[in-house]
Amino acid sequence: MEFALSPETVLKLWSGLFVGEEKRVGTRTVLVGHRTFSETEAYVPQKFCSNRIVSSKYTIWNFLPKNLFEQFRRIANFYFLIIFLVQVIVDTPTSPVTSGLPLFFVITVTAIKQGYEDWLRHRADKEVNKGNVFVIEGSKLVKKECETIKVGDIVEVSSDETFPCDLIFLASNTKDGSCYVTTASLDGESNVKTHYTVQDTSHLCTCQAIGCLTATIECEQPQPDLYRFVGRINIYNDNQEPIARALGPENLLLKGATLKNTPKIYGVAVYTGMETKMALNYQGKSQKRSAVEKSINAFLIVYLCILVGKAIICTALKYTWQSVPYNNEPWYNQRTQKDKETFKLLKMFTDFLSFMVLFNFIIPVSMYVTVEMQKFLGSFFISWDKEMYDKTRDEGALVNTSDLNEELGQVEYVFSDKTGTLTENTMEFIECSIDGFKYSHAFSEVDGGTFKKAAQSQEQLFMRALCLCHTVQVQESDKVDSGKSNIDVSCNYVAASPDEIALLQGAQKYGFTFLGQENNFMKVQNPNKQIERYELLNVLDFDCVRRRMSVLVKAQDRKLYLFCKGADSAIFPRVPVAEAEKTKIHVERNALDGYRTLCVAFKEISPADYVKINSRIKEATMALQDREAKMAKVFDEIETDMHLIGSTAVEDKLQDMAAETIEALHKAGMKIWVLTGDKLETAQATCYACRLFQTSTELLQLTTKMVGEDDRKEDRLHELLVDYHKKLVVDMPPGKRTWLLSQEYGLVIDGATLSLILNPSQDSRSGHYKSIFLQICLKCTAVLCCRMAPLQKAQIVRMVKNSKGSPITLAVGDGANDVSMILEAHVGIGIKGKEGRQAARNSDYAIPKFKDLKRLLLAHGHLYYVRIAHLVQYFFYKNLCFIFPQFLYQFFCGFSQQPLYDAAYLTMFNICFTSLPIVAYSLLEQHVHIDTLMAFPKLYLNVSDNAMLQLKPFLYWTFLGLFDGCVFFFGTYFLFQDASIQDNGKTAGNWTFGTMVFTVLVFTVTLKLALDTRYWTWMNHFVIWGSLIFYVFFSFFWGGIIWPFLKQQRMYHIFAQLLSSASSWLAMFCLIFVSLLPEILALVFRNMKRKIKQSDSLELPMLVSYKPLENGFTSEIGVAADGFPKHCHLRLLQMQRI
């Protein structure tokens, strides 16, 4: 039933219905079970979307126009469409089929691929939308299709079923009103998460009870953050004030998640269909473009200029040649009256378009399809690489985007997280400090003697704090198969952070065991095997800004305590200085040893104070607008005037082969930056352990300790920046990678100093801090940034990415706090770690371990770049060889726009005759064996800086194409000038001439690729020799030999007559040999040189790259363990196989 109410009446009504006075902007109100909460008051229903999921892009009606529109947005496709239309409209020398058929082929293949992918999405959508669900209607279970669920429906979900939409958890049949959920399909996390029902609805665990619930839910509008939710539920009882309870992420069950280890739950739908968080997260990320793609566009512009230049030259020369009356109107070709009356400028423009059409094949439209195919198929080799397969997790590398394969071979800067990326994120409790005394083992075994120990009450208070200040859940081991750490035979600890499990394990070593939580009471077993029960009053959750968490508990003696744990920088300012000083010594020593440290504090709260505190917490948690800011402010005010109990030290072991990986990447010319939120000493110790910093590395520090925190901190920062700038920039010799040969410098900076640099005050001198800082960083071999917020990580990556030269950046991390820098970098790598799968889900590539980064870059990245760079250069080369004889032919046919090649040859050159060999090469070629690339990281330098697609290699391939084109044309021209090839003495016609040129062209460009191939497989042999055989077969077929019904067309018997002449055979062999002579001579020369060289030299195959000497063109490589030669000289134009 609908009522027409004014906006003022609605606002007045809402203000009386819900607790809180803040504005309701951007919120929605949901009636639970569609039950109205009052018969006398009106409710204005809101419109919500259906639960139908639509991930598909097209429908059967809009597929054709929408797909064509998207494809013709590409400049190459649009260009060929214009050429095709010109051929249709204007009288051009070639048939529209010659450009229309290749374009049709490209468009069709792409449309079929995209259509098939969309059909798969349609099928998946149908499976989801037509799935069966159970909805409570009139206190009864009703079976419905998933797509019919509406916002407000109460849904029943059983164990191992996925949630059909985003639900607010109302009730379950467990004692404590909780349920267990896995979110692997959302964020990749396989561990079991605990969700909680609203306390006032937890007892409604039957259809009849939940169907009688009268409540409303007010929550924020849909947004994609999986880990954020703000709302509140208002429960109405008969003739009583409504009960308001806050709702957070722990109460929200997300669509796509799976219910585990819980028989059934009831929830009310709040977000449906395309408004669920899962659907909102499937929206595409910003498109990243590789350096190769940019080079292709640049080459395309050059060749477009060449095309236009050819057309202008031929048009101008045509009218120059026709200025002679005899040439303009010979006796055998009289002009019509219409031609004589045609406006001359219009005729010139038409001729210009005709020449553009004649030469348009210089632009390789099929290259785009080949590149897409190479990227898509090539990405499977990364997923199939057994060396990057992790047996413990039963998973390998994952490619989320194939557009950046070649970019893996161009990385200059690597930005890495520390915890979980360089380290295992497997925490082990090492020791603790209580009241200034160190404890490494049991309470009876204290370092420094048995008398130097804290009071027993402090020891027990510290251990109780560890057992209570956390969010860990205990589950029976036979019910959970999530691989968590076993505490005893009967239970497992389940936590979002492995640190918390390690601390509970440490407390257990000292006799205190956390037994779990039941009915809001936390149970702790003390050393006397007695069970202590603490009522959990409030949890002040951890966040990366506060860097601490707290709990408010009530002990059995009715005393109220606040226990707080967090980083030393977050705890020390909130405790007495004397207490902080006693513990600070242990914290700093543990940090130097590379341990992760936490400080533990407490304070006792009076009942009167708690009433005020609880009221403020409730008010903040009930807020719908700016809830996080209000809660942070309240938490900050509560966590004051505490007393420090002690600190903990937890070891996070270094990942296997992490040090060797960093060392290899450094040798490959990459600069490694570590961006972490850990404290300076811990991060620095880890950097030394993983060889990011060597003992010879001179460290330059820009930290709060060096700068200070008083009013003169900016002055001291300026002095340090100027000093470091002079040492690294002014006094350093020029060169891009001089740091590889000179003194190594490392920079250490913390988040506070970085904020000072990136966000300086308004005085005039601080404006250029960022520029000086960037110059210093770029001259350092390694940089460590500690105490970093996630946003600062992204700022660092953006700063380097946008610096001079636009270096290629790579970011690698394993946690949600690394997502921002992963998305910011050119290439984002996610580690499938223990901090969830947010990083892997948002990355371009996901790998199991950090050590796999070495193989991904040095082997796959190197090979992918060489393959696709050769593909691009080869395509432009063969098309230039193809069309340049056509250009030369115009000088001998009076610029009449006469085609040199038959239309069938024009159409099939790129589609059939020369396409497959380069595809096979671009997928399978290994110019250097993978083991060699891994053993000698410096080989990566030979292809860095986009070396194979620079101007000099481009000019080399261009002049090679021009040379071969001249050989094809003039060699055939001089052969046919005075010779006859037919038995009756007739000389060859223009189609015989063109067929001869085309035959030499096809064989030459194919054999050129065969000479470039270093890694032969059966597939290479099949496509190379098969393509040549197919060309011969097709030429016989098209000439009417195999298929006599074609004898009426102009190519009848042309190819057969050409091959019947011995002079033609001799000419073809000679021309092919002359065209390939430069490559053959280079091979012979290098083979002779290899035999003369000493046995300790290692020659590598050619990478057509021209590297400046300062970029490490020639490098020395030491003896490998398996006996590789000592010196490795990377020389220009080496083609020799190892």
Side-chain angles (χ1 to χ4, degrees), residues 1098-1125:
L1098 174 66
E1099 293 192 1
L1100 298 174
M1102 178 187 70
L1103 301 178
V1104 186
S1105 59
Y1106 295 73
K1107 305 284 293 176
L1109 188 61
E1110 66 179 26
N1111 282 1
F1113 174 75
T1114 302
S1115 58
E1116 299 291 332
I1117 298 180
V1119 179
D1122 53 358
F1124 275 99

Side-chain angles (χ1 to χ4, degrees), residues 594-857:
Y595 300 143
R596 293 164 61 89
T597 59
L598 284 175
C599 293
V600 182
F602 90 106
K603 74 174 178 178
E604 189 174 342
I605 299 174
S606 66
D609 289 339
Y610 176 71
V611 172
K612 299 177 182 177
I613 289 173
N614 187 50
S615 175
R616 294 168 62 195
I617 293 176
K618 184 176 180 180
E619 182 182 353
T621 54
M622 294 299 294
L624 290 183
Q625 301 296 325
D626 302 322
R627 176 184 290 185
E628 290 85 354
K630 294 177 181 178
M631 290 173 63
K633 182 180 179 182
V634 172
F635 293 171
D636 190 65
E637 294 171 354
I638 295 172
E639 295 166 332
T640 55
D641 301 325
M642 298 184 293
H643 295 280
L644 186 64
I645 316 174
S647 65
T648 61
V650 175
E651 182 183 19
D652 188 5
K653 296 180 180 178
L654 205 64
Q655 277 201 22
D656 183 38
M657 300 292 291
E660 291 79 359
T661 300
I662 286 183
E663 196 170 28
L665 297 182
H666 182 260
K667 288 181 179 178
M670 299 177 218
K671 293 184 179 181
I672 319 294
W673 293 33
V674 173
L675 313 180
T676 178
D678 274 358
K679 62 188 288 91
L680 186 148
E681 294 81 4
T682 305
Q684 196 166 313
T686 303
C687 289
Y688 276 109
C690 67
R691 303 179 198 169
L692 180 69
F693 294 152
Q694 306 290 337
T695 54
S696 59
T697 303
E698 182 179 342
L699 291 186
L700 311 176
Q701 299 208 8
L702 289 172
T703 61
T704 304
K705 185 176 180 180
M706 297 286 293
V707 175
E709 299 184 7
D710 54 18
D711 295 337
R712 293 195 65 252
K713 58 184 178 183
E714 290 200 5
D715 294 332
R716 280 193 285 271
L717 175 62
H718 178 77
E719 294 170 3
L720 286 172
L721 287 173
V722 171
D723 182 43
Y724 294 161
H725 183 268
K726 183 177 184 300
K727 180 182 294 187
L728 268 72
V729 180
V730 178
D731 298 340
M732 184 72 72
K736 188 171 183 179
R737 286 197 172 96
T738 51
W739 50 271
L740 281 171
L741 307 174
S742 60
Q743 166 68 41
E744 292 187 357
Y745 291 95
L747 180 68
V748 180
I749 185 170
D750 59 17
T753 310
L754 182 66
S755 296
L756 205 61
I757 293 173
L758 298 181
N759 306 297
S761 60
Q762 298 299 319
D763 65 64
S764 58
R765 191 171 58 178
S766 60
H768 63 290
Y769 281 173
K770 184 177 178 180
S771 175
I772 297 177
F773 172 69
L774 180 59
Q775 293 180 49
I776 295 171
C777 289
L778 298 183
K779 289 293 183 178
C780 290
T781 54
V783 177
L784 168 62
C785 303
C786 55
R787 298 294 196 192
M788 300 283 288
L791 181 60
Q792 288 181 313
K793 291 184 178 183
Q795 287 178 323
I796 286 286
V797 175
R798 189 183 307 116
M799 179 183 71
V800 175
K801 186 174 76 170
N802 296 332
S803 63
K804 184 179 180 182
S806 300
I808 304 300
T809 58
L810 179 146
V812 55
D814 72 315
N817 59 332
D818 304 315
V819 170
S820 56
M821 74 170 181
I822 285 174
L823 295 177
E824 184 64 43
H826 291 97
V827 183
I829 308 292
I831 303 289
K832 299 177 180 180
K834 298 181 179 179
E835 291 187 9
R837 297 298 175 89
Q838 299 96 313
R841 187 164 54 89
N842 287 277
S843 64
D844 302 306
Y845 303 88
I847 55 179
K849 295 285 186 180
F850 181 77
K851 67 181 179 67
D852 299 321
L853 188 63
K854 176 182 176 182
R855 188 173 183 87
L856 185 66
L857 298 183

Side-chain angles (χ1 to χ4, degrees), residues 1068-1109:
M1068 282 190 286
F1069 279 115
C1070 290
L1071 293 178
I1072 293 171
F1073 176 78
V1074 172
S1075 301
L1076 298 176
L1077 186 60
E1079 302 290 333
I1080 296 173
L1081 289 177
L1083 280 174
V1084 172
F1085 175 75
R1086 277 188 297 276
N1087 281 330
M1088 293 175 59
K1089 189 176 180 181
R1090 184 185 62 173
K1091 294 178 182 178
I1092 298 173
K1093 271 188 148 319
Q1094 299 292 333
S1095 60
D1096 65 342
S1097 67
L1098 174 66
E1099 293 192 1
L1100 298 174
M1102 178 187 70
L1103 301 178
V1104 186
S1105 59
Y1106 295 73
K1107 305 284 293 176
L1109 188 61

Side-chain angles (χ1 to χ4, degrees), residues 86-94 347 350-351 353-354 357 897:
V86 169
Q87 288 179 294
V88 172
I89 297 171
V90 181
D91 183 18
T92 56
T94 57
K347 187 69 171 66
T350 304
D351 286 333
L353 291 179
S354 298
V357 169
Q897 301 153 9

Side-chain angles (χ1 to χ4, degrees), residues 413-688:
Y413 287 86
V414 175
F415 299 91
S416 173
D417 179 41
K418 185 184 79 68
T419 305
T421 303
L422 297 177
T423 61
E424 287 282 2
N425 204 13
T426 301
M427 307 301 175
E428 180 183 354
F429 186 89
I430 300 298
E431 64 182 45
C432 61
S433 169
I434 304 175
D435 209 14
F437 297 96
K438 176 184 173 183
Y439 291 76
S440 297
H441 304 288
F443 283 136
S444 59
E445 304 174 19
V446 183
D447 293 357
T450 56
F451 298 99
K452 294 184 178 180
K453 56 183 293 187
Q456 186 177 8
S457 60
Q458 287 292 95
E459 293 175 343
Q460 295 181 355
L461 182 64
F462 180 80
M463 293 303 159
R464 289 188 176 96
L466 293 186
C467 290
L468 296 172
C469 189
H470 57 76
T471 57
V472 177
Q473 296 295 315
V474 177
Q475 295 183 15
E476 295 181 5
S477 58
D478 60 341
K479 291 187 178 181
V480 181
D481 56 350
S482 54
K484 298 297 176 293
S485 302
N486 289 328
I487 301 304
D488 55 43
V489 178
S490 62
C491 63
N492 282 340
Y493 282 165
V494 178
S497 171
D499 294 78
E500 295 197 319
I501 295 179
L503 294 179
L504 288 181
Q505 291 173 335
Q508 191 180 32
K509 286 169 53 178
Y510 294 94
F512 287 82
T513 304
F514 173 64
L515 299 179
Q517 182 177 335
E518 184 177 346
N519 296 327
N520 223 34
F521 281 87
M522 304 179 77
K523 296 183 294 183
V524 178
Q525 179 178 286
N526 62 28
N528 299 325
K529 304 302 180 182
Q530 298 172 335
I531 306 298
E532 301 175 0
R533 292 168 59 86
Y534 296 85
E535 183 181 359
L536 180 61
L537 302 175
N538 303 93
V539 177
L540 313 187
D541 290 315
F542 173 87
D543 65 67
C544 58
V545 178
R546 287 168 52 241
R547 298 182 62 81
R548 60 185 181 273
M549 75 156 291
S550 301
V551 294
L552 286 159
V553 297
K554 181 189 289 186
Q556 290 173 316
D557 58 3
R558 312 298 295 176
K559 290 184 178 180
L560 302 175
Y561 295 96
L562 169 76
F563 291 110
C564 180
K565 71 178 181 187
D568 57 303
S569 60
I571 299 294
F572 283 167
R574 299 173 180 273
V575 299
V577 176
E579 295 177 2
E581 289 298 325
K582 288 192 297 182
T583 305
K584 190 175 183 179
I585 300 172
H586 296 280
V587 172
E588 292 180 348
R589 186 177 64 183
N590 290 332
L592 288 173
D593 292 335
Y595 300 143
R596 293 164 61 89
T597 59
L598 284 175
C599 293
V600 182
F602 90 106
K603 74 174 178 178
E604 189 174 342
I605 299 174
S606 66
D609 289 339
Y610 176 71
V611 172
K612 299 177 182 177
I613 289 173
N614 187 50
S615 175
R616 294 168 62 195
I617 293 176
K618 184 176 180 180
E619 182 182 353
T621 54
M622 294 299 294
L624 290 183
Q625 301 296 325
D626 302 322
R627 176 184 290 185
E628 290 85 354
K630 294 177 181 178
M631 290 173 63
K633 182 180 179 182
V634 172
F635 293 171
D636 190 65
E637 294 171 354
I638 295 172
E639 295 166 332
T640 55
D641 301 325
M642 298 184 293
H643 295 280
L644 186 64
I645 316 174
S647 65
T648 61
V650 175
E651 182 183 19
D652 188 5
K653 296 180 180 178
L654 205 64
Q655 277 201 22
D656 183 38
M657 300 292 291
E660 291 79 359
T661 300
I662 286 183
E663 196 170 28
L665 297 182
H666 182 260
K667 288 181 179 178
M670 299 177 218
K671 293 184 179 181
I672 319 294
W673 293 33
V674 173
L675 313 180
T676 178
D678 274 358
K679 62 188 288 91
L680 186 148
E681 294 81 4
T682 305
Q684 196 166 313
T686 303
C687 289
Y688 276 109

Side-chain angles (χ1 to χ4, degrees), residues 980-986 1060-1061:
S980 64
I981 65 169
Q982 298 184 26
D983 295 337
N984 55 12
K986 293 182 179 179
S1060 65
S1061 170

